[in-house]
């Protein structure tokens, strides 16, 4: 039988458990999302649909590029929650503590326990501050973890990946397996004044294919120096975060036998001294998740390749080497 003191302790414990569980769920939700990086002035715009990715890709979800669209265009959809104290970390704690207080009331404290509830809420605010500081500290530590040596099995892409898809004649520049759209008309009229058309050449398309395999290989080997050479600093931060999380979980992500099946250019443009190109890529690869200690496969099939469709955006500055700047999942 619960005494008043035990009931209060139970309510406090229940509230804290709910609060922490909601924090973990919200934090996990914040980390999920397959679209990250930057696409210049088009970061917060949807990439056009293509033959390879017929569903229009959503705008990038995680990016360091600020959204400069007009305020009206950035209003949340109907029914969507606005950011605020009752959302995110503070909201999770408050919701948990409030529920915990209600549990206490229902278990027999009555409304005379409201003073204790307000005291509990004040304690919750202090706990929220401590947790926020701790989460920021640990996330910073994870992102800054040094590279760990590993023997991955990532391979460069098969150069025969192009040419396996026959594209009918049309108003576009065609390369075997890689379609580059012609620019003009409505698309050119819709561009912002700061942008201008840019059409990738044969050498650029070859480089995009090569980067598909090289980035996967560097990621599999946890080669941070290689990633810094192949992707933008922003992408290094996101990929390093994922590698650190894998290390924390005792896992290693291996991608090998990458082979491009079909690709086309969704859009390409220039902004000042930077060129951008977003390519829809359909490729297959052997992707495994291994236990870091035993090497045992815990996810994936070592004998069966999986097929993936993604949109990769590449950027080059002042005519230098192309680098990966964003990855998006088609809608």
């Amino acid at each position: 039988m619960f005494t008043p003191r035990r009931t209060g302790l139970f309510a406090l414990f229940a509230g804290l458990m709910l609060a922490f569980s909601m924090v973990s769920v919200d934090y996990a939700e914040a980390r999920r999302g397959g679209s990250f990086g930057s696409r210049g002035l088009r970061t917060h715009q949807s990439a056009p649909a293509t033959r390879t990715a017929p569903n229009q890709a959503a705008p990038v979800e995680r990016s360091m590029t600020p959204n400069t669209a007009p305020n009206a265009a950035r209003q949340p959809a109907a029914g969507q929650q606005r950011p605020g104290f009752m959302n995110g970390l503070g909201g999770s704690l408050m919701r948990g503590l409030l529920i915990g207080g209600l549990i206490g009331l229902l278990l027999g404290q009555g409304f005379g326990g409201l003073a204790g509830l307000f005291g509990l809420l004040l304690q919750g605010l202090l706990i929220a501050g401590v947790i926020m500081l701790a989460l920021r500290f640990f996330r910073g530590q994870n992102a800054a973890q040094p590279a760990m040596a590993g023997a991955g099995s990532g391979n460069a892409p098969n150069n025969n990946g192009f040419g396996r898809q026959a594209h009918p004649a049309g108003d576009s520049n065609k390369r075997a397996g890689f379609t580059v759209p012609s620019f003009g008309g409505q698309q050119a009229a819709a561009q912002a004044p700061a942008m201008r058309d840019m059409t990738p050449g044969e050498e650029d398309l070859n480089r995009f294919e090569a980067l598909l395999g090289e980035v996967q290989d560097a990621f599999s080997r946890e080669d941070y120096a290689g990633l810094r050479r192949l992707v933008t600093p922003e992408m290094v931060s996101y990929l390093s975060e994922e590698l650190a999380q894998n290390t924390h979980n005792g896992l290693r992500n291996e991608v090998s036998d990458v082979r491009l099946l079909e690709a086309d250019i969704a859009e390409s443009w220039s902004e000042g001294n930077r060129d951008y190109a977003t390519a829809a890529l359909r490729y297959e690869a052997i992707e495994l998740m291994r236990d870091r200690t035993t090497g045992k496969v815990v996810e994936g099939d070592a004998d069966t390749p999986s097929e993936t469709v993604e949109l990769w955006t590449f950027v080059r500055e002042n005519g230098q080497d192309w680098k990966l700047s964003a990855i998006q999942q088609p809608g």
Side-chain angles (χ1 to χ4, degrees):
M1 180 176 183
F2 284 109
T3 64
R5 178 177 179 80
R6 288 180 178 177
T7 301
L9 290 175
F10 176 77
L12 174 61
F13 177 75
L16 290 177
M17 290 299 293
L18 283 168
F20 282 111
S21 65
M22 289 181 179
V23 168
S24 63
V25 169
D26 284 356
Y27 180 59
E29 289 292 337
R31 293 199 69 254
R32 279 203 296 264
S35 298
F36 52 92
S38 295
R39 300 199 317 127
L41 294 175
R42 299 186 181 182
T43 297
H44 302 284
Q45 299 177 13
S46 299
T50 71
R51 185 191 309 274
T52 302
N55 297 323
Q56 188 179 56
V60 172
E61 298 168 350
R62 302 174 62 200
S63 179
M64 297 179 185
T65 301
N67 191 348
T68 56
N71 291 334
R74 294 187 298 185
Q75 293 296 325
Q80 183 178 355
Q81 290 186 343
R82 289 174 174 270
F85 179 72
M86 290 304 291
N87 296 318
L89 179 63
S92 298
L93 283 168
M94 291 299 292
R95 290 193 294 270
L97 293 171
L98 285 171
I99 294 174
L102 292 176
I103 291 175
L105 293 174
L106 293 174
L107 289 175
Q109 289 190 21
F111 288 97
L114 284 176
L117 175 59
F118 286 127
L120 184 61
L121 293 179
L122 181 59
Q123 295 177 37
L125 291 176
L126 296 176
I127 294 172
V130 172
I131 293 176
M132 289 178 68
L133 291 175
L135 286 176
R136 290 179 181 176
F137 173 78
F138 286 118
R139 290 185 68 183
Q141 290 290 98
N142 286 339
Q145 275 194 359
M148 300 187 65
S153 57
N155 296 326
N158 188 333
N159 289 330
N160 293 327
F162 291 113
R164 295 185 177 274
Q165 295 293 328
H167 294 280
D171 184 21
S172 62
N173 300 317
K174 289 179 288 299
R175 181 182 193 275
F178 220 131
T179 302
V180 183
S182 297
F183 294 98
Q186 294 181 353
Q187 181 177 3
Q191 289 180 343
M195 303 182 198
R196 62 183 185 277
D197 296 340
M198 189 278 298
T199 302
E202 186 79 9
E203 184 177 348
D204 301 322
L205 303 180
N206 288 333
R207 186 57 191 149
F208 297 160
E209 180 185 7
L211 279 170
L212 173 64
E214 292 174 12
V215 171
Q216 303 274 23
D217 178 58
F219 182 83
S220 297
R221 293 185 292 105
E222 299 180 348
D223 180 1
Y224 289 78
L227 288 174
R228 285 193 292 271
R229 179 176 57 85
L230 300 169
V231 308
T232 61
E234 179 179 358
M235 290 294 287
V236 169
S237 69
Y238 296 138
L239 296 175
S240 297
E241 180 183 355
E242 186 172 346
L243 288 173
Q245 186 63 44
N246 289 341
T247 301
H248 176 75
N249 294 334
L251 301 173
R252 180 190 299 280
N253 190 189
E254 294 182 1
V255 183
S256 62
D257 297 333
V258 180
R259 188 166 70 95
L260 185 63
L261 302 176
E262 183 182 12
D264 47 26
I265 299 297
E267 54 184 350
S268 56
W269 69 100
S270 296
E271 300 174 12
N273 60 353
R274 292 182 178 179
D275 297 329
Y276 289 89
T278 296
L281 307 173
R282 183 171 68 89
Y283 63 93
E284 66 176 17
I286 300 292
E287 185 168 4
L288 306 173
M289 195 69 77
R290 293 184 182 272
D291 185 283
R292 298 184 71 89
T293 303
T294 65
K296 180 181 178 181
V297 176
V298 297
E299 185 178 343
D301 188 340
D303 300 319
T304 305
S306 59
E307 188 172 305
T308 303
V309 177
E310 292 177 328
L311 284 88
W312 286 31
T313 296
F314 306 95
V315 63
R316 66 180 173 188
E317 190 169 357
N318 295 318
Q320 298 178 356
D321 293 337
W322 288 100
K323 292 187 175 184
L324 176 65
S325 67
I327 294 179
Q328 294 170 269
Q329 307 299 325

